[in-house]
């Protein structure tokens, strides 16, 4: 039996988030014998704590705010949203477990893994530990919140994004520290519920490094909805108070609120994993460096998803996971043809689910050497249907010297959906003029593209 097993190649995947699941399925599809070890359950942090809970909360807040905007009074308590969230999480978990089982992958859930040496790992389960042998491994252990020194989240006054999964009531007065994607999403979500929100960011910009014109627009829209922006201000001290929390900003200002949301960045989840026993060394932020195959510097050891560093997004985790799983199967001696693809992040889109949404792919318009071409749907019908005074979608493209689209940023309705078409344009280096030939549906946010038409409609 062991000879047959060795011939198939044993691939061990650590973590069952988007990266680990994709790696496991890709390795199994190549005929490897795959075991996934997961501390919690299938779906990973994405399903349990981060992506799914935050998006369900945002969807609920948007729907309720939209109902209110039409003059009706929504009456849905937070209890309804929480119950829905729990149901969604269990549905996702069951679907993912079924998918693994169908692919013949063994899932060991509720057990933490630690590497013991080349080809050997220890799985610690509540009912006792056991040893696992492997020919190749994929580390897909994700990331964890990085907290300011001395700050302890308590699930009540000092909150982490993961608390969105369990909080019965969102706080009425909140300070959000961190103006990256997560902080902006949380501030936007809270403002939709009518809460009072102050967003503190260390740098001068919202979403540092993103399109300066569109993020300035987003900042203005959040401010118009009542979000107090405190940008270019360092939060340097936090004091829990009897009925809330105080945040001291550099320069002396002191903010008081019912709760503080900390969204100050993340680190790779590699502590205690025993990577040193394999000869692998994560960087100072806990991230593992990999090449386009997902291979680390150690033979037979692959990594994918958040643990390989920014961008920390699920679509990267899935693509990189699938690639790393296929290469791990090959390295373990499973099927070798055809040669697996490599992961190329050039046309990887990312989105921020604020209201309005922001999405971007490729070169950042307004931040590089490229020319910027702009469009919006002001001249279309979509804003009139939506009852808006201005546009509902704004688009900026980075165009190279040969007139090809190398980057795009969108702000507005459906940005996270529309960005995939622009990712195709970036991946295939479509000339701007060809993009302008498209005839977007009316009314739709895609009407912003019409402004790029060569005949200037
Ligand atoms: C609030 C928030 C909102 C987000 N929203 C979005 C979004 O809308 N869209 C998007 O694309 N991305 C979003 N993200 C990012 C997204 O959640 C991550 O990029 C994604 O989860 C990464 O997938 P992963 O598989 O690398 O890791 P994870 O989903 O973190 O899964 C890693 C798994 O490994 C397990 N693990 C760790 N160590 C061990 C061990 N020693 N033994 C066994 N198991 C272990 C963990 O329990 C975990 O289940 C959001 C993140 C946050 C914080």
């Amino acid at each position: 039996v062991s000879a047959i097993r060795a011939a198939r190649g044993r691939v061990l995947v650590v973590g069952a988030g988007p990266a680990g699941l994709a790696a496991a399925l890709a390795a199994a599809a190549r005929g490897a014998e795959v075991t996934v070890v997961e501390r919690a359950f299938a779906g990973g942090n994405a399903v349990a704590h981060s992506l799914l809970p935050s998006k369900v909360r945002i969807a609920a807040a948007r729907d309720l705010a939209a109902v209110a905007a039409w003059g009706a009074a929504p009456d849905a308590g937070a209890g309804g949203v929480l119950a829905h969230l729990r149901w969604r999480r269990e549905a996702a978990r069951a679907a993912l477990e079924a998918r693994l089982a169908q692919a013949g992958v063994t899932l060991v859930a509720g057990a933490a893994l630690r590497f013991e040496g080349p080809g050997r790992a220890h799985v610690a389960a509540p009912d006792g530990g056991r040893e696992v042998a492997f020919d190749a491994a994929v580390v897909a252990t994700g990331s964890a919140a990085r907290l300011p020194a001395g700050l302890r989240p308590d699930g009540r006054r000092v909150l982490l994004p993961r608390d969105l999964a369990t909080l019965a009531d969102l706080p009425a007065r909140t300070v959000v520290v961190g103006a990256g994607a997560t902080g902006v999403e949380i501030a936007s979500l809270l403002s939709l519920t009518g809460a009072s929100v102050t967003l503190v960011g260390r740098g001068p910009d919202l979403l540092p490094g993103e399109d300066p014109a569109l993020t300035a627009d987003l900042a203005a829209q959040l401010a118009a909805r009542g979000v107090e922006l405190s940008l270019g201000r360092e939060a340097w001290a936090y004091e829990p108070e009897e009925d809330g929390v105080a945040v001291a900003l550099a320069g002396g200002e002191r903010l008081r609120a019912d709760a503080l949301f900390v969204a100050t960045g993340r680190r790779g989840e590699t502590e205690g994993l025993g990577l040193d026993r394999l000869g692998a060394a994560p960087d100072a932020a806990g991230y593992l460096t990999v090449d386009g195959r997902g291979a680390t510097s150690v033979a037979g050891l692959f990594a994918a998803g958040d643990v390989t560093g920014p961008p920390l997004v699920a679509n990267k985790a899935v693509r990189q996971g699938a690639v790393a799983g296929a290469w791990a199967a090959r390295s373990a001696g499973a099927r070798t043809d055809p040669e697996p693809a490599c992961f190329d992040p050039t046309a990887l889109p990312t989105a921020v689910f604020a209201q309005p949404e922001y999405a971007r792919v490729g070169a950042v318009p307004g931040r590089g050497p490229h020319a910027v071409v702009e469009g919006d749907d002001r001249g279309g019908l979509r804003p009139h249907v939506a009852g808006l005074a201005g546009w509902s979608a704004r688009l900026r493209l980075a165009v190279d010297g040969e007139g090809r689209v190398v980057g795009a940023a969108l702000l507005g309705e459906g940005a996270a959906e529309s960005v995939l078409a622009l990712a195709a344009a970036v991946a295939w280096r479509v000339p701007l003029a060809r993009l302008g030939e498209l005839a977007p549906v009316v009314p739709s946010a895609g009407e912003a593209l019409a402004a790029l038409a060569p005949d200037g409609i």
Side-chain angles (χ1 to χ4, degrees):
V1 170
S2 61
I4 294 170
R5 282 193 175 164
R8 287 182 67 200
R10 295 160 303 180
V11 171
L12 175 65
V13 178
V14 198
L21 292 172
L25 293 172
R30 289 196 162 242
E33 180 184 312
V34 185
T35 302
V36 182
V37 180
E38 164 57 54
R39 229 163 30 182
F41 58 80
N45 288 324
V47 165
H49 307 299
S50 58
L51 195 161
L52 184 75
S54 64
K55 298 300 101 68
V56 169
R57 289 262 188 195
I58 288 169
R62 277 188 186 183
D63 285 356
L64 294 172
V67 171
W70 287 99
D75 182 20
V81 177
L82 263 192
H84 182 82
L85 185 48
R86 279 195 293 269
W87 172 66
R88 279 277 140 223
R89 191 188 62 193
E90 290 311 310
R93 165 190 182 153
L96 295 169
E97 283 179 3
R99 183 119 188 258
L100 289 179
Q102 198 181 22
V105 172
T106 303
L107 172 66
V108 182
L113 180 137
R114 197 184 60 236
F115 291 106
E116 293 293 340
R120 289 184 300 117
H122 177 84
V123 177
D127 56 352
R130 67 177 166 108
E131 306 303 311
V132 188
F134 62 88
D135 300 306
V138 181
V139 178
T141 48
S143 63
R146 199 178 54 210
L147 297 175
L151 190 64
R152 269 176 204 270
D154 60 9
R156 200 167 59 87
R157 289 168 303 180
V158 180
L159 302 170
L160 292 178
R162 64 186 293 145
D163 291 316
L164 287 176
T166 47
L167 268 183
D169 292 307
L170 296 176
R173 283 183 316 156
T174 312
V175 173
V176 180
V177 179
T182 302
V184 167
E185 281 189 8
I186 292 175
S188 171
L189 160 69
L190 292 169
S191 74
L192 286 175
T193 69
S196 134
V197 190
T198 304
L199 178 61
V200 179
R202 183 192 285 160
D205 300 327
L206 212 61
L207 303 176
E210 294 295 340
D211 183 313
L214 296 192
T215 54
D217 219 324
L218 173 59
Q221 294 195 49
L222 289 177
R225 239 185 17 249
V227 176
E228 193 97 24
L229 294 172
S230 203
L231 298 174
R233 309 290 300 279
E234 182 105 31
W236 64 272
Y238 306 89
E239 288 157 29
E241 297 184 331
E242 210 171 283
D243 57 348
V245 61
V247 180
L249 301 184
E253 196 183 343
R254 210 174 151 80
L255 305 172
R256 285 207 161 77
D258 302 325
L260 164 71
F261 258 108
V262 189
T264 45
R266 301 187 68 82
R267 60 172 173 77
E269 187 72 284
T270 43
E271 233 178 80
L273 201 53
L275 285 169
D276 51 324
R277 297 180 184 204
L278 302 182
D283 68 15
Y287 295 124
L288 282 166
T289 304
V290 293
D291 63 17
R293 300 168 301 161
T296 67
S297 56
V298 176
L301 184 68
F302 296 77
D306 279 12
V307 76
T308 66
L312 307 181
V313 285
N315 51 334
K316 179 195 101 168
V318 171
R319 279 301 308 142
Q320 202 179 32
V323 165
W327 282 100
R330 187 178 161 99
S331 151
R335 210 183 300 154
T336 53
D337 290 330
E339 184 166 290
C342 283
F343 172 64
D344 173 11
T346 318
L348 181 87
T350 57
V352 180
F353 290 87
Q355 179 95 323
E357 281 174 8
Y358 172 85
R360 199 255 309 158
V361 61
V364 183
R367 286 207 188 266
H370 306 294
V372 176
V373 178
E374 292 203 38
D376 63 49
D377 64 350
R378 213 178 305 250
L381 280 181
R382 170 69 206 155
H384 299 284
V385 171
L388 298 169
W391 45 266
S392 70
R394 198 176 156 196
L395 158 68
R396 294 191 358 124
L397 302 176
V399 179
D400 71 8
E402 291 165 33
R404 292 170 196 278
V405 180
V406 291
L410 298 109
L411 184 69
E413 182 142 343
E417 297 285 350
S418 315
V419 73
L420 193 62
L422 294 160
V426 170
W428 303 325
R429 303 186 73 96
V430 171
L432 177 67
R434 297 298 320 260
L435 208 57
E437 288 171 20
L438 295 173
V441 168
V442 179
S444 75
E447 287 179 76
L449 272 180
L452 310 178
D455 48 5
I457 293 165

